[in-house]
Amino acid sequence: MAIERTLSIIKPDATKRNLTGKINAKFEEAGLRIVAQKRIQLTMDQAGKFYEVHKERPFYGELCEFMASEPVVVQVLEGEGAIAKNREVMGATNPAEADEGTIRKEYALSVGENSVHGSDAPETAAEEISFFFSGLEIVG
Ligand code: DAT
Ligand code: MG
């Protein structure tokens, strides 16, 4: 399988509970390399743009407010099949449906406050990486 890059976000519920290191350990144990990382606080406008694909969904406003409520850690993960592998390590969107050992099973508080974001396909990964990082900031 090809080496890929994917965009990951450690969400406000997790940064608030000081879980950045524990979540990063899950990525590294799965063979994903953190090749770029920064801690930022999103504005409502930035959160709205990032999640624009969900703008017709009933939870859009709540989702954007949550994402702008506290700092997040945005990162680029690299590895073989990194996009699907990251989704596996994250677990299902709803933590009640997530497999044992996944980040969301262990740390997520609810379907909304679910600790991590991960790109879902090669096209979205490329778009989401360039939303936060320039090429110079990614060192594989
Ligand atoms: P994922 O983050 O697993 O890719 P998604 O893209 O369907 O899931 O949704 C993006 C985020 O929106 C998700 O991580 C949390 C929030 N969300 C999704 N469904 C929700 C719901 N039914 N109620 C509240 N928030 C929801
Ligand atoms: Mg998604």
Side-chain angles (χ1 to χ4, degrees):
M1 193 175 282
I3 299 289
E4 294 176 336
R5 287 177 173 173
T6 191
L7 191 276
S8 164
I9 306 178
I10 302 179
K11 294 185 179 182
D13 66 282
T15 61
K16 195 152 83 176
R17 288 177 290 148
N18 213 20
L19 294 171
T20 299
K22 288 203 169 82
I23 290 173
N24 279 348
K26 292 277 197 193
F27 296 139
E28 293 184 343
E29 281 159 15
L32 293 164
R33 304 180 73 83
I34 301 163
V35 296
Q37 175 167 261
K38 59 192 173 192
R39 181 176 167 102
I40 58 175
Q41 181 143 13
L42 294 173
T43 62
M44 271 297 284
D45 189 53
Q46 289 167 331
K49 282 206 181 80
F50 183 77
Y51 276 117
E52 201 151 33
V53 60
H54 294 307
K55 71 169 180 290
E56 305 303 334
R57 312 275 288 272
F59 55 81
Y60 178 66
E62 184 189 328
L63 172 63
C64 296
E65 271 168 32
F66 167 61
M67 292 300 287
S69 67
E70 296 272 341
V72 296
V73 174
V74 294
Q75 18 181 231
V76 180
L77 307 180
E78 182 181 85
E80 283 210 2
I83 297 165
K85 187 178 283 180
N86 181 39
R87 298 285 310 186
E88 241 178 76
V89 176
M90 287 164 59
T93 307
N94 183 346
E97 291 161 13
D99 289 340
E100 287 301 325
T102 62
I103 293 168
R104 283 167 165 171
K105 176 72 177 186
E106 288 189 18
Y107 301 123
L109 301 175
S110 64
V111 63
E113 302 200 10
N114 61 3
S115 304
V116 280
H117 166 84
S119 309
D120 59 11
E123 305 73 41
T124 46
E127 277 170 31
E128 291 178 0
I129 289 170
S130 64
F131 187 89
F132 289 111
F133 295 97
S134 76
L136 285 174
E137 292 175 304
I138 306 167
V139 185

